[in-house]
Amino acid sequence: MKMKLIHFGIFPVLGMILMNCQHQNSEKNAGEVKVVEKQEMIFEEMNGIVGVEAEHYISQTDTAVRKWYLTTTSKTPDVQPDLDGNHAETASNGAYLEILPDTRVTHDDSLIWATNFINDPGEMAILTYKVHFNNPGKYFVWVRANCHGTEDNGIHVGIDGTWPETGQRIQFWGNKKEWSWESRQRTDSVHTGVEELIYLEVDKPGLHTIHFSMREDGFEMDKWVMSKEYVKPEGTGPEERLKKVEN
Ligand SMILES: [Ca+2]
Ligand SMILES: [Ca+2]
Ligand SMILES: [Ca+2]
């Protein structure tokens, strides 16, 4: 009887201790994972410039009709139509995103509003990135893209849930069929885009969200850069810089 009392008397206490330890561990682990995720996904602007791989977004929304798909040197999305091939070999980090399916490649293909084209920003296939800015102010936005059709070369950019006029209608030239950097805005009079019109205002230092949304399907985005100076990035652009998160 005495043994039974000890048996039933000790184990609940041990169990409570173990449960308490497990609870503390799970809380600790959850905290650690969160910190790791932040370290991986928050990029840092330094000296007026920040570069981010397109494939390093934190979320994608409004994907019912068109969606950004990841392409790497070893993986091509199985989404049709998409007339051109895999261009990851020459992409920064060996990976890029493309809006698919791509049903309008040339001017002869039908334009279907809110399906293969949308002039309004923040409506379709919205990517979100997190960036910590040390220096507020005006930043030009540069995009590294590979355009294979004349109707695959437009996109919009926004900040902190807003889509200012100066982020609308980023325009590339024609169909270069190679990765290139541009920062030009399509206007009513200049369809090939005007320099120095694509920029975002970072109102204060700290964490901000940057968004890209579809204008034309089939757009391929490898990397993007925000820079205070209007200087076209060279090659694959500046290295990504991760923000160190304090524990
Ligand atoms: Ca394509
Ligand atoms: Ca297209
Ligand atoms: Ca890339």
Side-chain angles (χ1 to χ4, degrees):
M1 187 66 184
K2 191 178 179 183
M3 286 297 287
K4 275 189 180 176
L5 277 173
I6 291 169
H7 178 76
F8 289 111
I10 289 175
F11 275 80
V13 174
L14 282 174
M16 283 178 67
I17 293 169
L18 285 170
M19 281 175 66
N20 195 34
C21 287
Q22 286 173 343
H23 182 61
Q24 286 178 344
N25 282 339
S26 65
E27 280 188 345
K28 190 179 177 187
N29 288 339
E32 285 173 354
V33 169
K34 202 174 176 185
V35 169
V36 170
E37 285 176 353
K38 279 183 179 176
Q39 284 177 329
E40 288 179 348
M41 301 309 288
I42 299 178
F43 300 95
E44 182 175 24
E45 171 272 322
M46 189 70 83
N47 300 322
I49 191 163
V50 58
V52 177
E53 297 288 347
E55 57 272 20
H56 290 166
Y57 61 94
I58 60 162
S59 67
Q60 177 174 192
T61 60
D62 299 85
T63 57
V65 179
R66 288 293 185 274
K67 182 179 175 183
W68 292 94
Y69 287 86
L70 176 69
T71 299
T72 69
T73 49
S74 59
K75 179 189 165 196
T76 303
D78 185 21
V79 182
Q80 294 298 328
D82 179 18
L83 296 180
D84 50 280
N86 183 321
H87 314 121
E89 190 90 355
T90 48
S92 177
N93 194 39
Y96 66 93
L97 301 179
E98 179 173 8
I99 301 174
L100 293 172
D102 181 16
T103 58
R104 186 169 191 248
V105 178
T106 73
H107 202 70
D108 294 334
D109 298 324
S110 298
L111 186 157
I112 307 173
W113 192 273
T115 296
N116 56 25
F117 174 84
I118 183 140
N119 203 43
D120 301 322
E123 295 289 332
M124 296 175 66
I126 303 170
L127 297 170
T128 294
Y129 303 81
K130 284 187 175 179
V131 180
H132 178 96
F133 285 88
N134 294 304
N135 303 292
K138 174 181 173 180
Y139 283 83
F140 295 106
V141 182
W142 297 86
V143 174
R144 191 169 195 252
N146 197 332
C147 307
H148 278 249
T150 55
E151 309 305 319
D152 303 337
N153 57 15
I155 195 175
H156 306 290
V157 65
I159 182 169
D160 296 331
T162 69
W163 301 89
E165 165 61 23
T166 59
Q168 299 179 24
R169 305 178 310 283
I170 298 175
Q171 183 69 46
F172 279 68
W173 289 24
N175 52 345
K176 285 186 175 179
K177 299 184 178 176
E178 63 181 14
W179 293 111
S180 64
W181 292 97
E182 288 295 353
S183 180
R184 311 169 71 94
Q185 185 177 47
R186 179 188 175 97
T187 65
D188 286 341
S189 55
V190 185
H191 290 187
T192 52
V194 179
E195 294 186 341
E196 299 194 41
L197 294 186
I198 292 292
Y199 61 88
L200 296 174
E201 295 282 355
V202 176
D203 58 354
K204 57 188 175 189
L207 186 61
H208 293 269
T209 52
I210 303 301
H211 318 282
F212 287 87
S213 74
M214 172 179 135
R215 184 168 186 273
E216 294 179 316
D217 63 3
F219 191 91
E220 299 183 359
M221 181 162 66
D222 177 18
K223 192 171 181 175
W224 56 269
V225 163
M226 288 174 68
S227 61
K228 288 210 166 194
E229 302 292 326
Y230 191 81
V231 177
K232 183 177 289 200
E234 295 180 358
T236 55
E239 290 289 309
E240 284 183 324
R241 180 187 181 89
L242 291 170
K243 170 67 176 169
K244 290 195 176 79
V245 178
E246 304 295 333
N247 287 316

